[in-house]
Amino acid sequence: MKFCRRCGKELPDSARFCSYCGARVEAPKWEEFQVAADDLVGRVKELIREGNIRRIVVRNEGGRTLLEIPVTVGVIGALFAPYLAALGAVAAMATRCTIAVERK
């Protein structure tokens, strides 16, 4: 199932427009990067500075999700500090990570 980005209502997978508010339903565009754990925090900061990201998912070598970060206009500065601390902990546990990025 999909969810409308504007009103949050649940929609069928085949929907092209939201039947509640009329917003266009687009499939998210995902990109993946392989990084060493040492470069994880720096690479995530770099991706956030690009400014065209909705969500960042960090996975371990086995594909298990370790951390999911919603990147919105409100998640900057001090609000983002706990995520960076969690990324540091993730980097200490893993040797290589995959960063999956949902772009706008």
Side-chain angles (χ1 to χ4, degrees):
M1 295 300 271
K2 293 183 196 178
F3 293 91
C4 176
R5 294 200 183 277
R6 184 185 296 165
C7 69
K9 299 288 186 179
E10 190 172 333
L11 305 170
D13 290 331
S14 61
R16 294 179 56 203
F17 294 91
C18 176
S19 57
Y20 299 96
C21 71
R24 185 181 185 101
V25 179
E26 297 178 17
K29 297 171 188 159
W30 287 90
E31 224 178 306
E32 288 193 1
F33 305 95
Q34 296 285 328
V35 295
D38 299 338
D39 301 330
L40 180 62
V41 174
R43 184 65 174 137
V44 168
K45 284 181 180 180
E46 185 180 309
L47 287 167
I48 290 170
R49 271 187 238 118
E50 288 179 14
N52 62 346
I53 293 176
R54 293 182 187 205
R55 187 171 18 160
I56 297 174
V57 179
V58 179
R59 296 188 184 104
N60 66 5
E61 294 168 321
R64 186 170 151 241
T65 299
L66 300 174
L67 184 65
E68 188 168 337
I69 305 169
V71 181
T72 62
V73 174
V75 182
I76 55 174
L79 296 175
F80 197 66
Y83 287 112
L84 291 178
L87 276 174
V90 166
M93 295 185 316
T95 56
R96 292 203 57 78
C97 296
T98 301
I99 302 173
V101 178
E102 180 183 354
R103 297 210 180 258
K104 292 181 184 176

Coordinates of all heavy atoms in Angstrom, one line a residue:
M1 N 0.8 -1.2 0.0 CA 0.0 0.0 0.0 C 0.9 1.3 0.0 O 2.0 1.3 0.6 CB -0.9 0.0 1.2 CG -1.9 -1.1 1.3 SD -3.1 -1.1 -0.1 CE -4.3 0.0 0.5
K2 N 0.4 2.3 -0.6 CA 1.0 3.6 -0.7 C 0.3 4.5 0.3 O -0.8 4.3 0.6 CB 1.0 4.2 -2.1 CG 1.7 3.5 -3.1 CD 1.6 4.3 -4.4 CE 1.9 3.6 -5.6 NZ 1.7 4.4 -6.8
F3 N 1.0 5.6 0.6 CA 0.3 6.7 1.4 C 0.5 8.0 0.6 O 1.6 8.3 0.0 CB 1.0 6.8 2.8 CG 0.7 5.6 3.6 CD1 1.6 4.5 3.6 CD2 -0.4 5.5 4.4 CE1 1.3 3.4 4.4 CE2 -0.7 4.4 5.2 CZ 0.2 3.3 5.1
C4 N -0.5 8.8 0.7 CA -0.4 10.2 0.1 C 0.5 11.0 0.9 O 0.5 11.1 2.1 CB -1.8 10.8 0.1 SG -1.8 12.5 -0.6
R5 N 1.4 11.7 0.2 CA 2.4 12.6 0.8 C 1.8 13.9 1.3 O 2.3 14.5 2.2 CB 3.5 12.9 -0.2 CG 4.3 11.7 -0.5 CD 5.7 12.2 -1.1 NE 6.4 11.0 -1.5 CZ 7.2 10.3 -0.7 NH1 7.2 10.5 0.6 NH2 7.8 9.2 -1.2
R6 N 0.6 14.3 0.8 CA 0.0 15.5 1.2 C -0.9 15.3 2.4 O -0.8 15.9 3.4 CB -0.8 16.1 0.1 CG -1.4 17.5 0.5 CD -2.3 18.1 -0.5 NE -1.6 18.5 -1.7 CZ -2.2 18.7 -2.9 NH1 -3.5 18.7 -3.0 NH2 -1.5 19.1 -3.9
C7 N -1.9 14.3 2.3 CA -2.9 14.1 3.3 C -2.6 12.9 4.2 O -3.2 12.8 5.3 CB -4.3 14.1 2.8 SG -4.6 12.6 1.8
G8 N -1.7 12.0 3.8 CA -1.4 10.8 4.6 C -2.4 9.6 4.5 O -2.2 8.6 5.2
K9 N -3.4 9.7 3.7 CA -4.4 8.6 3.5 C -3.7 7.5 2.8 O -2.9 7.6 2.0 CB -5.6 9.1 2.7 CG -6.3 10.2 3.4 CD -7.1 9.8 4.6 CE -7.9 10.9 5.1 NZ -8.7 10.6 6.3
E10 N -4.2 6.3 3.2 CA -3.7 5.0 2.6 C -4.3 4.9 1.2 O -5.5 5.1 1.0 CB -4.0 3.8 3.4 CG -3.4 2.6 3.0 CD -3.6 1.5 4.0 OE1 -3.8 1.7 5.2 OE2 -3.6 0.3 3.6
L11 N -3.5 4.5 0.2 CA -4.0 4.4 -1.2 C -3.6 3.0 -1.7 O -2.6 2.4 -1.3 CB -3.3 5.5 -2.0 CG -3.5 6.9 -1.6 CD1 -2.6 7.8 -2.4 CD2 -5.0 7.3 -1.7
P12 N -4.3 2.5 -2.7 CA -3.9 1.3 -3.4 C -2.6 1.5 -4.2 O -2.3 2.6 -4.6 CB -5.1 1.0 -4.3 CG -6.0 2.2 -4.4 CD -5.6 3.1 -3.2
D13 N -1.9 0.4 -4.4 CA -0.6 0.5 -5.1 C -0.7 1.1 -6.5 O 0.2 1.7 -7.0 CB 0.1 -0.8 -5.1 CG 0.6 -1.2 -3.8 OD1 0.9 -0.3 -3.0 OD2 0.7 -2.4 -3.5
S14 N -1.9 0.8 -7.1 CA -2.0 1.3 -8.5 C -2.4 2.7 -8.6 O -2.5 3.3 -9.8 CB -3.1 0.4 -9.2 OG -4.3 0.5 -8.5
A15 N -2.7 3.4 -7.5 CA -3.2 4.8 -7.6 C -2.1 5.8 -8.2 O -0.9 5.7 -7.9 CB -3.5 5.3 -6.2
R16 N -2.6 6.6 -9.1 CA -1.7 7.7 -9.6 C -2.0 9.0 -9.0 O -1.2 9.9 -9.0 CB -1.9 7.7 -11.1 CG -1.4 6.4 -11.8 CD -1.5 6.4 -13.3 NE -0.9 7.5 -13.9 CZ -1.2 8.0 -15.1 NH1 -2.2 7.4 -15.8 NH2 -0.6 9.0 -15.6
F17 N -3.2 9.1 -8.4 CA -3.6 10.4 -7.7 C -4.3 9.9 -6.5 O -5.0 8.9 -6.4 CB -4.6 11.2 -8.6 CG -3.9 11.7 -9.8 CD1 -3.9 11.0 -11.0 CD2 -3.3 13.0 -9.8 CE1 -3.3 11.5 -12.2 CE2 -2.7 13.5 -10.9 CZ -2.7 12.8 -12.1
C18 N -4.3 10.8 -5.5 CA -5.0 10.5 -4.2 C -6.4 10.7 -4.4 O -6.9 11.8 -4.9 CB -4.4 11.4 -3.1 SG -5.3 11.3 -1.5
S19 N -7.2 9.7 -4.0 CA -8.7 9.9 -4.1 C -9.3 10.8 -3.1 O -10.5 11.1 -3.2 CB -9.3 8.5 -4.1 OG -9.0 7.8 -2.9
Y20 N -8.5 11.2 -2.1 CA -9.0 12.1 -1.0 C -8.7 13.5 -1.3 O -9.6 14.4 -1.2 CB -8.4 11.7 0.3 CG -8.8 10.3 0.7 CD1 -7.9 9.2 0.5 CD2 -10.0 10.0 1.3 CE1 -8.3 7.9 0.8 CE2 -10.4 8.7 1.7 CZ -9.5 7.7 1.4 OH -9.9 6.4 1.8
C21 N -7.5 13.8 -1.7 CA -7.1 15.3 -1.8 C -6.7 15.6 -3.3 O -6.5 16.7 -3.6 CB -6.0 15.6 -0.9 SG -4.4 14.9 -1.3
G22 N -6.6 14.6 -4.1 CA -6.2 14.8 -5.5 C -4.8 15.0 -5.8 O -4.4 15.2 -7.0
A23 N -3.9 14.8 -4.8 CA -2.5 15.0 -5.1 C -1.9 13.9 -5.9 O -2.4 12.8 -5.9 CB -1.7 15.1 -3.7
R24 N -0.9 14.2 -6.7 CA -0.3 13.2 -7.6 C 0.5 12.3 -6.7 O 1.3 12.7 -5.8 CB 0.6 13.9 -8.6 CG 1.2 13.0 -9.6 CD 2.1 13.7 -10.6 NE 2.6 12.8 -11.5 CZ 2.1 12.7 -12.8 NH1 1.2 13.5 -13.2 NH2 2.6 11.8 -13.6
V25 N 0.4 11.0 -7.0 CA 1.2 10.0 -6.2 C 2.4 9.5 -7.1 O 2.2 9.0 -8.1 CB 0.3 8.8 -5.9 CG1 1.1 7.7 -5.1 CG2 -0.9 9.2 -5.1
E26 N 3.5 9.8 -6.6 CA 4.7 9.4 -7.4 C 5.5 8.4 -6.6 O 5.6 8.4 -5.4 CB 5.6 10.7 -7.5 CG 5.0 11.8 -8.3 CD 5.9 13.0 -8.5 OE1 7.1 12.8 -8.2 OE2 5.4 14.0 -8.8
A27 N 6.1 7.5 -7.4 CA 7.0 6.5 -6.8 C 8.3 7.1 -6.3 O 8.8 8.0 -7.0 CB 7.3 5.4 -7.8
P28 N 8.7 6.8 -5.1 CA 10.0 7.4 -4.6 C 11.2 7.0 -5.5 O 11.2 5.9 -6.0 CB 10.1 7.0 -3.2 CG 9.2 5.8 -3.1 CD 8.2 5.9 -4.1
K29 N 12.1 7.9 -5.6 CA 13.4 7.6 -6.3 C 14.4 7.2 -5.3 O 14.8 8.1 -4.4 CB 13.8 8.8 -7.1 CG 12.8 9.1 -8.2 CD 13.1 10.4 -8.9 CE 11.9 10.8 -9.8 NZ 11.9 12.2 -10.1
W30 N 15.0 6.0 -5.3 CA 16.0 5.6 -4.3 C 17.3 5.4 -5.0 O 17.4 5.1 -6.2 CB 15.6 4.2 -3.8 CG 14.4 4.3 -2.8 CD1 13.1 4.2 -3.1 CD2 14.5 4.5 -1.4 NE1 12.4 4.3 -2.0 CE2 13.2 4.5 -0.9 CE3 15.6 4.7 -0.5 CZ2 12.9 4.7 0.4 CZ3 15.3 4.9 0.8 CH2 14.0 4.9 1.3
E31 N 18.3 5.8 -4.2 CA 19.7 5.6 -4.6 C 20.5 4.9 -3.5 O 20.2 5.2 -2.3 CB 20.3 7.0 -4.8 CG 21.1 7.2 -6.0 CD 21.6 8.7 -6.1 OE1 20.8 9.6 -6.0 OE2 22.8 8.9 -6.2
E32 N 21.4 4.1 -3.8 CA 22.2 3.4 -2.8 C 23.7 3.6 -2.9 O 24.2 3.7 -4.0 CB 21.9 1.9 -2.8 CG 20.5 1.5 -2.3 CD 20.3 0.1 -2.0 OE1 21.3 -0.7 -2.2 OE2 19.2 -0.3 -1.6
F33 N 24.3 3.8 -1.8 CA 25.8 4.0 -1.7 C 26.4 3.0 -0.8 O 25.8 2.7 0.3 CB 26.1 5.4 -1.2 CG 25.5 6.5 -2.0 CD1 24.3 7.0 -1.6 CD2 26.1 7.0 -3.1 CE1 23.7 8.1 -2.3 CE2 25.5 8.0 -3.9 CZ 24.3 8.5 -3.4
Q34 N 27.5 2.4 -1.1 CA 28.3 1.5 -0.2 C 29.4 2.4 0.4 O 30.1 3.1 -0.3 CB 28.9 0.4 -1.0 CG 28.0 -0.6 -1.6 CD 27.3 -1.5 -0.6 OE1 28.0 -1.9 0.4 NE2 26.1 -1.9 -0.8
V35 N 29.5 2.4 1.7 CA 30.5 3.2 2.4 C 31.1 2.4 3.5 O 30.5 1.5 4.1 CB 29.9 4.5 3.0 CG1 29.4 5.4 1.9 CG2 28.9 4.2 4.0
A36 N 32.4 2.7 3.8 CA 33.1 2.1 5.0 C 32.5 2.8 6.2 O 32.0 4.0 6.1 CB 34.6 2.4 4.9
A37 N 32.5 2.1 7.3 CA 31.9 2.7 8.5 C 32.6 4.0 8.9 O 32.0 4.8 9.5 CB 32.0 1.6 9.6
D38 N 33.9 4.1 8.6 CA 34.6 5.3 9.0 C 34.1 6.5 8.3 O 34.2 7.7 8.8 CB 36.1 5.2 8.7 CG 36.8 4.0 9.4 OD1 36.2 3.6 10.5 OD2 37.8 3.5 9.0
D39 N 33.5 6.3 7.1 CA 33.1 7.4 6.2 C 31.5 7.7 6.4 O 31.0 8.6 5.7 CB 33.4 7.2 4.8 CG 34.8 7.0 4.5 OD1 35.6 7.6 5.2 OD2 35.2 6.2 3.6
L40 N 30.9 6.9 7.2 CA 29.4 6.9 7.3 C 28.9 8.3 7.7 O 28.0 8.9 7.0 CB 28.9 5.8 8.3 CG 27.4 5.7 8.5 CD1 26.7 5.4 7.2 CD2 27.1 4.7 9.5
V41 N 29.3 8.8 8.8 CA 28.8 10.1 9.3 C 29.1 11.2 8.3 O 28.2 12.0 8.0 CB 29.4 10.5 10.7 CG1 28.9 11.8 11.1 CG2 28.9 9.4 11.7
G42 N 30.3 11.3 7.7 CA 30.6 12.3 6.8 C 29.8 12.2 5.5 O 29.3 13.3 5.0
R43 N 29.5 11.0 5.0 CA 28.7 10.9 3.8 C 27.3 11.3 4.0 O 26.6 11.9 3.2 CB 28.8 9.4 3.3 CG 28.1 9.1 2.1 CD 28.7 9.9 0.9 NE 28.1 9.5 -0.3 CZ 27.8 10.3 -1.3 NH1 28.1 11.6 -1.2 NH2 27.1 9.9 -2.4
V44 N 26.7 10.9 5.2 CA 25.3 11.3 5.5 C 25.2 12.8 5.6 O 24.3 13.4 5.1 CB 24.8 10.6 6.8 CG1 23.5 11.2 7.3 CG2 24.7 9.1 6.6
K45 N 26.2 13.5 6.3 CA 26.2 14.9 6.4 C 26.2 15.6 5.0 O 25.5 16.5 4.7 CB 27.3 15.4 7.2 CG 27.2 15.3 8.7 CD 28.4 15.8 9.4 CE 28.4 15.7 10.9 NZ 29.6 16.3 11.5
E46 N 27.0 15.0 4.1 CA 27.1 15.5 2.7 C 25.8 15.3 2.0 O 25.4 16.3 1.3 CB 28.2 14.7 2.0 CG 28.6 15.1 0.7 CD 29.7 14.2 0.1 OE1 30.7 14.0 0.8 OE2 29.5 13.7 -1.0
L47 N 25.1 14.2 2.2 CA 23.9 14.0 1.5 C 22.8 15.0 2.0 O 22.0 15.5 1.2 CB 23.4 12.5 1.7 CG 24.1 11.5 1.0 CD1 23.8 10.1 1.5 CD2 23.8 11.5 -0.5
I48 N 22.8 15.3 3.3 CA 21.8 16.2 3.8 C 22.1 17.6 3.3 O 21.1 18.3 3.0 CB 21.9 16.1 5.4 CG1 21.3 14.8 5.8 CG2 21.1 17.3 6.0 CD1 21.5 14.5 7.3
R49 N 23.3 18.0 3.2 CA 23.6 19.3 2.6 C 23.1 19.5 1.2 O 22.9 20.6 0.8 CB 25.1 19.5 2.7 CG 25.6 20.2 4.0 CD 27.0 20.6 4.0 NE 27.7 19.9 5.1 CZ 28.6 19.0 5.0 NH1 29.2 18.7 3.8 NH2 29.1 18.4 6.0
E50 N 23.0 18.4 0.5 CA 22.5 18.5 -0.9 C 21.1 19.0 -0.9 O 20.7 19.7 -1.9 CB 22.5 17.1 -1.6 CG 23.9 16.6 -1.9 CD 23.9 15.2 -2.6 OE1 22.8 14.8 -3.0 OE2 24.9 14.6 -2.6
G51 N 20.3 18.7 0.1 CA 19.0 19.3 0.3 C 17.8 18.7 -0.5 O 16.7 19.2 -0.5
N52 N 18.0 17.7 -1.3 CA 16.9 17.1 -2.1 C 16.6 15.7 -1.6 O 16.3 14.8 -2.4 CB 17.3 17.1 -3.6 CG 18.5 16.3 -3.9 OD1 19.2 15.9 -3.0 ND2 18.7 16.0 -5.2
I53 N 16.6 15.5 -0.3 CA 16.4 14.1 0.2 C 15.3 14.1 1.2 O 15.0 15.1 1.9 CB 17.7 13.7 1.0 CG1 18.8 13.5 0.0 CG2 17.5 12.5 1.8 CD1 20.2 13.2 0.6
R54 N 14.5 13.0 1.1 CA 13.3 12.9 2.0 C 13.7 11.9 3.2 O 13.2 12.1 4.3 CB 12.1 12.3 1.3 CG 11.6 13.3 0.3 CD 10.4 12.7 -0.4 NE 10.0 13.6 -1.4 CZ 8.8 13.7 -1.9 NH1 7.9 13.0 -1.5 NH2 8.6 14.6 -2.9
R55 N 14.5 10.9 2.9 CA 14.7 9.9 3.9 C 16.1 9.2 3.6 O 16.4 9.0 2.5 CB 13.6 8.8 3.9 CG 13.7 7.8 5.0 CD 12.4 6.9 5.0 NE 11.6 6.9 3.8 CZ 10.8 6.0 3.5 NH1 10.6 5.0 4.4 NH2 10.1 6.0 2.4
I56 N 16.8 8.8 4.7 CA 18.0 8.1 4.6 C 17.9 6.8 5.5 O 17.4 6.9 6.6 CB 19.2 8.9 5.2 CG1 19.4 10.2 4.3 CG2 20.5 8.1 5.2 CD1 20.4 11.1 4.9
V57 N 18.2 5.7 4.9 CA 18.2 4.4 5.5 C 19.6 3.8 5.5 O 20.2 3.7 4.5 CB 17.2 3.4 4.8 CG1 17.2 2.1 5.5 CG2 15.8 4.0 4.8
V58 N 20.1 3.5 6.7 CA 21.4 2.9 6.8 C 21.2 1.4 7.1 O 20.5 1.0 8.1 CB 22.2 3.5 7.9 CG1 23.6 2.9 8.1 CG2 22.4 5.0 7.7
R59 N 21.8 0.5 6.3 CA 21.7 -0.9 6.4 C 23.1 -1.5 6.6 O 24.1 -1.0 6.1 CB 21.1 -1.5 5.2 CG 19.7 -1.1 5.0 CD 19.1 -1.9 3.8 NE 17.7 -1.4 3.5 CZ 17.4 -0.7 2.5 NH1 18.3 -0.3 1.6 NH2 16.2 -0.3 2.3
N60 N 23.2 -2.6 7.3 CA 24.5 -3.3 7.5 C 24.8 -4.2 6.3 O 24.0 -4.2 5.4 CB 24.5 -4.1 8.8 CG 23.5 -5.3 8.8 OD1 22.9 -5.6 7.8 ND2 23.4 -5.9 10.0
E61 N 25.9 -4.9 6.4 CA 26.3 -5.8 5.3 C 25.2 -6.8 4.9 O 25.1 -7.2 3.8 CB 27.6 -6.4 5.6 CG 28.7 -5.5 5.7 CD 30.0 -6.1 6.3 OE1 29.8 -6.9 7.2 OE2 31.1 -5.8 5.8
G62 N 24.5 -7.3 5.9 CA 23.5 -8.3 5.7 C 22.1 -7.8 5.2 O 21.2 -8.5 5.0
G63 N 22.0 -6.4 5.0 CA 20.8 -5.8 4.5 C 19.8 -5.4 5.6 O 18.7 -5.0 5.3
R64 N 20.2 -5.6 6.9 CA 19.3 -5.3 8.0 C 19.3 -3.8 8.2 O 20.4 -3.2 8.3 CB 19.7 -6.0 9.2 CG 18.8 -5.8 10.4 CD 19.2 -6.8 11.5 NE 18.8 -6.1 12.8 CZ 19.6 -5.8 13.7 NH1 20.9 -6.1 13.7 NH2 19.1 -5.1 14.8
T65 N 18.2 -3.2 8.4 CA 18.1 -1.7 8.6 C 18.6 -1.4 10.0 O 18.1 -1.9 11.0 CB 16.6 -1.2 8.4 OG1 16.2 -1.5 7.1 CG2 16.5 0.3 8.7
L66 N 19.6 -0.5 10.1 CA 20.2 -0.1 11.4 C 19.6 1.2 11.9 O 19.4 1.4 13.1 CB 21.7 0.0 11.3 CG 22.4 -1.3 10.9 CD1 23.9 -1.0 10.7 CD2 22.2 -2.4 12.0
L67 N 19.3 2.1 10.9 CA 18.8 3.4 11.3 C 18.1 4.0 10.1 O 18.5 3.9 9.0 CB 20.0 4.3 11.6 CG 19.7 5.7 12.1 CD1 19.0 5.7 13.4 CD2 21.0 6.5 12.3
E68 N 16.9 4.6 10.4 CA 16.2 5.3 9.3 C 16.0 6.8 9.8 O 15.5 7.0 10.9 CB 14.8 4.6 9.2 CG 14.1 5.2 8.0 CD 12.9 4.3 7.6 OE1 12.9 3.1 7.9 OE2 11.9 4.9 7.0
I69 N 16.4 7.7 8.9 CA 16.3 9.1 9.3 C 15.4 9.8 8.3 O 15.7 9.9 7.1 CB 17.7 9.7 9.2 CG1 18.8 8.9 10.0 CG2 17.7 11.2 9.6 CD1 20.2 9.3 9.7
P70 N 14.3 10.4 8.9 CA 13.5 11.3 8.0 C 14.1 12.6 7.9 O 14.5 13.2 8.9 CB 12.2 11.4 8.8 CG 12.6 11.1 10.2 CD 13.8 10.2 10.2
V71 N 14.3 13.0 6.7 CA 15.0 14.3 6.5 C 14.0 15.3 6.0 O 13.6 15.3 4.8 CB 16.2 14.2 5.4 CG1 16.9 15.5 5.3 CG2 17.2 13.1 5.9
T72 N 13.6 16.2 6.9 CA 12.7 17.3 6.5 C 13.3 18.6 6.8 O 14.3 18.7 7.4 CB 11.3 17.1 7.3 OG1 11.6 17.2 8.7 CG2 10.7 15.8 7.1
V73 N 12.6 19.6 6.4 CA 13.1 21.0 6.7 C 13.3 21.2 8.2 O 14.3 21.8 8.7 CB 12.2 22.1 6.1 CG1 12.6 23.4 6.5 CG2 12.1 21.9 4.6
G74 N 12.4 20.6 9.0 CA 12.5 20.8 10.5 C 13.7 20.0 11.1 O 14.0 20.3 12.3
V75 N 14.2 19.0 10.5 CA 15.3 18.2 11.1 C 16.6 18.8 10.7 O 17.3 18.3 9.8 CB 15.1 16.7 10.6 CG1 16.2 15.9 11.3 CG2 13.8 16.2 10.9
I76 N 17.0 19.8 11.3 CA 18.3 20.4 11.1 C 18.9 20.9 12.4 O 18.2 21.0 13.4 CB 18.2 21.7 10.1 CG1 17.2 22.7 10.7 CG2 17.9 21.2 8.7 CD1 17.1 23.9 9.9
G77 N 20.1 21.2 12.4 CA 20.8 21.7 13.6 C 20.7 20.8 14.8 O 21.0 19.6 14.8
A78 N 20.2 21.3 16.0 CA 20.2 20.5 17.2 C 19.2 19.3 17.1 O 19.5 18.3 17.8 CB 19.7 21.4 18.3
L79 N 18.2 19.4 16.3 CA 17.3 18.3 16.2 C 17.9 17.1 15.5 O 17.5 16.0 15.6 CB 16.0 18.7 15.4 CG 15.2 19.7 16.1 CD1 14.0 20.2 15.1 CD2 14.6 19.2 17.4
F80 N 19.0 17.4 14.7 CA 19.6 16.3 13.9 C 20.8 15.7 14.7 O 21.2 14.6 14.4 CB 20.2 16.9 12.6 CG 20.5 15.8 11.6 CD1 19.6 15.0 11.1 CD2 21.8 15.6 11.3 CE1 19.9 14.0 10.2 CE2 22.2 14.6 10.4 CZ 21.2 13.8 9.8
A81 N 21.2 16.3 15.8 CA 22.3 15.8 16.7 C 22.1 14.4 17.2 O 23.0 13.6 17.1 CB 22.6 16.7 17.8
P82 N 20.9 14.0 17.6 CA 20.7 12.6 18.1 C 20.9 11.6 17.0 O 21.4 10.5 17.2 CB 19.3 12.5 18.6 CG 18.9 13.9 18.9 CD 19.7 14.8 17.9
Y83 N 20.5 11.9 15.8 CA 20.7 11.0 14.6 C 22.2 10.8 14.3 O 22.7 9.7 14.0 CB 20.0 11.5 13.4 CG 18.5 11.3 13.4 CD1 17.7 12.4 13.5 CD2 17.9 10.1 13.4 CE1 16.3 12.3 13.6 CE2 16.6 9.9 13.5 CZ 15.8 11.0 13.6 OH 14.4 10.9 13.6
L84 N 23.0 11.9 14.4 CA 24.4 11.8 14.2 C 25.1 11.0 15.3 O 26.0 10.2 15.0 CB 25.1 13.2 14.2 CG 24.7 14.0 12.9 CD1 25.3 15.4 13.0 CD2 25.1 13.3 11.7
A85 N 24.6 11.1 16.5 CA 25.2 10.2 17.6 C 24.8 8.8 17.3 O 25.7 7.9 17.5 CB 24.6 10.7 18.9
A86 N 23.6 8.5 16.9 CA 23.3 7.1 16.5 C 24.1 6.6 15.4 O 24.5 5.4 15.3 CB 21.8 7.1 16.2
L87 N 24.4 7.5 14.4 CA 25.2 7.1 13.3 C 26.6 6.7 13.7 O 27.2 5.7 13.2 CB 25.3 8.2 12.2 CG 24.2 8.3 11.2 CD1 24.4 9.5 10.4 CD2 24.2 7.0 10.4
G88 N 27.1 7.4 14.7 CA 28.4 7.1 15.3 C 28.4 5.7 15.9 O 29.4 5.0 15.8
A89 N 27.3 5.4 16.6 CA 27.2 4.1 17.2 C 27.1 3.0 16.2 O 27.7 1.9 16.3 CB 26.0 4.0 18.1
V90 N 26.4 3.2 15.1 CA 26.2 2.3 14.0 C 27.6 2.1 13.4 O 28.0 0.9 13.1 CB 25.2 2.8 12.9 CG1 25.3 2.0 11.7 CG2 23.8 2.7 13.5
A91 N 28.3 3.1 13.2 CA 29.7 3.0 12.5 C 30.6 2.2 13.4 O 31.5 1.5 12.9 CB 30.3 4.4 12.3
A92 N 30.4 2.2 14.7 CA 31.3 1.4 15.6 C 31.0 -0.1 15.5 O 31.8 -0.9 15.8 CB 31.1 1.9 17.1
M93 N 29.7 -0.4 15.2 CA 29.3 -1.8 15.1 C 29.6 -2.5 13.8 O 29.7 -3.7 13.7 CB 27.8 -1.9 15.4 CG 27.4 -1.5 16.8 SD 25.7 -1.8 17.1 CE 24.8 -1.2 15.7
A94 N 29.6 -1.7 12.7 CA 29.7 -2.3 11.3 C 31.0 -1.9 10.7 O 31.7 -1.0 11.1 CB 28.6 -1.7 10.5
T95 N 31.4 -2.7 9.7 CA 32.6 -2.4 8.9 C 32.2 -1.7 7.6 O 32.9 -0.8 7.2 CB 33.4 -3.7 8.6 OG1 32.5 -4.6 8.0 CG2 33.9 -4.3 9.9
R96 N 31.2 -2.2 7.0 CA 30.7 -1.6 5.7 C 29.2 -1.4 5.9 O 28.5 -2.2 6.4 CB 31.0 -2.4 4.5 CG 32.4 -2.5 4.2 CD 32.8 -2.8 2.8 NE 32.2 -1.9 1.7 CZ 32.7 -0.7 1.4 NH1 33.7 -0.2 2.0 NH2 32.1 -0.1 0.4
C97 N 28.7 -0.3 5.3 CA 27.2 0.0 5.4 C 26.7 0.4 4.0 O 27.5 0.8 3.1 CB 27.0 1.1 6.3 SG 27.4 0.8 8.0
T98 N 25.4 0.2 3.8 CA 24.8 0.7 2.6 C 23.9 1.9 3.1 O 23.1 1.7 4.0 CB 23.9 -0.4 2.0 OG1 24.7 -1.5 1.6 CG2 23.2 0.1 0.8
I99 N 24.0 3.0 2.4 CA 23.1 4.1 2.6 C 22.1 4.2 1.5 O 22.5 4.3 0.3 CB 23.9 5.4 2.7 CG1 25.0 5.4 3.8 CG2 22.9 6.6 2.9 CD1 25.9 6.6 3.8
A100 N 20.8 4.0 1.8 CA 19.8 4.1 0.8 C 19.1 5.5 1.0 O 18.8 5.9 2.1 CB 18.7 3.0 1.0
V101 N 19.0 6.2 -0.1 CA 18.5 7.6 0.0 C 17.3 7.7 -0.9 O 17.3 7.4 -2.1 CB 19.6 8.6 -0.6 CG1 19.1 10.0 -0.6 CG2 20.9 8.5 0.3
E102 N 16.2 8.2 -0.3 CA 15.0 8.6 -1.0 C 15.1 10.0 -1.4 O 15.1 10.9 -0.6 CB 13.7 8.3 -0.2 CG 12.5 8.6 -1.0 CD 11.2 8.4 -0.1 OE1 11.3 8.0 1.0 OE2 10.1 8.8 -0.6
R103 N 15.1 10.3 -2.7 CA 15.2 11.7 -3.2 C 13.8 12.2 -3.6 O 12.9 11.5 -3.8 CB 16.1 11.7 -4.4 CG 17.5 11.3 -4.1 CD 18.5 11.9 -5.0 NE 19.8 11.5 -4.7 CZ 20.7 12.2 -4.1 NH1 20.4 13.4 -3.6 NH2 21.9 11.8 -3.8
K104 N 13.8 13.6 -3.5 CA 12.5 14.3 -3.9 C 12.4 14.2 -5.4 O 13.3 14.1 -6.2 CB 12.6 15.7 -3.5 CG 12.6 15.9 -2.0 CD 12.6 17.3 -1.6 CE 12.7 17.5 -0.1 NZ 12.9 18.8 0.3

